[in-house]
Amino acid sequence: VALVVTGDEVLSMKVRDQNTPYAAQKLLEGHMDLGEVVIVGDDVNQVSEHIRRLSRSFDVVVTSGGVGPTHDDVTMHAVAKAFHCGLRQEEKLLKAMGNVETNIAGKLAMVPSPAQCLEVPGNKYPLLRCYNVYILPGVPKFFQEKLSFVIRFLQLKHPECKQRIYHKKNFALNK
């Protein structure tokens, strides 16, 4: 598993990265190996390059941050660019947002075209997966909820991870 933490605020230390230590601990408890962590600013080209490289080298890539409605939230565009695809509006996300202001909801619902929505029990917002990249929010509380789901999802899909630690390319996801 590789982790891409996105945000100028993390690089500049305006926001302390709580997600990397949490991910390392929970992945270890889930018998999965955190093989690489990249912390990158809000530059769509840099984020895209890291996602492309890591998605080729690791079974699973988890992103943290960059999925909000502001100008510096570039993760969705970066994932789309990494996989050479466009963006589309995801109806499940629009529906989950309910009364969110139309312009904000429209931006938040734009996802890479091949992305899948995975329903997260007890959470009104689905988890997005684009090939082997799981796109998570950067707010620690929401990141933690979604990461727990990713770990459970991978354990169900690949029961062998309950018995041993993953290393690079031990299983293939539908790419």
Side-chain angles (χ1 to χ4, degrees):
V1 178
L3 176 63
V4 178
V5 179
T6 304
D8 289 339
E9 65 278 10
V10 177
L11 281 176
S12 67
M13 301 297 288
K14 289 180 185 171
V15 172
R16 189 174 141 255
D17 176 20
Q18 298 175 42
N19 294 339
T20 299
Y22 181 85
Q25 180 65 39
K26 291 301 177 183
L27 288 166
L28 181 63
E29 290 171 9
H31 303 283
M32 295 178 212
D33 184 23
L34 180 58
E36 186 169 340
V37 175
V38 175
I39 301 175
V40 62
D42 297 316
D43 180 286
V44 70
N45 293 321
Q46 290 180 2
V47 176
S48 174
E49 288 172 24
H50 287 293
I51 289 170
R52 184 180 307 111
R53 176 181 62 82
L54 294 170
S55 71
R56 291 176 180 158
S57 301
F58 288 86
D59 299 312
V60 174
V61 177
V62 174
T63 69
S64 168
V67 296
T70 61
H71 71 283
D72 62 345
D73 291 311
V74 300
T75 299
M76 295 298 182
H77 290 278
V79 172
K81 185 171 183 173
F83 292 112
H84 307 288
C85 63
L87 294 171
R88 65 174 171 80
Q89 197 164 59
E90 175 53 60
E91 293 302 318
K92 288 181 183 176
L93 283 174
L94 275 177
K95 185 177 177 183
M97 285 182 257
N99 294 330
V100 174
E101 196 261 311
T102 307
N103 289 340
I104 293 172
K107 182 176 188 319
L108 289 171
M110 296 303 291
V111 302
S113 55
Q116 298 174 302
C117 282
L118 305 174
E119 298 300 322
V120 179
N123 193 310
K124 75 177 195 174
Y125 295 105
L127 172 71
L128 289 173
R129 178 181 73 185
C130 189
Y131 301 114
N132 65 335
V133 177
Y134 293 81
I135 305 167
L136 278 62
V139 176
K141 176 182 186 248
F142 302 125
F143 176 86
Q144 292 169 11
E145 290 172 1
K146 297 284 173 103
L147 182 66
S148 294
F149 177 80
V150 170
I151 291 169
R152 286 192 310 274
F153 179 80
L154 291 172
Q155 288 173 332
L156 288 172
K157 190 168 178 164
H158 303 280
E160 68 272 17
C161 78
K162 291 182 179 178
Q163 300 163 0
R164 63 183 170 79
I165 295 177
Y166 282 131
H167 293 285
K168 294 178 185 178
K169 293 298 175 193
N170 281 342
F171 66 89
L173 295 176
N174 54 355
K175 259 189 158 182

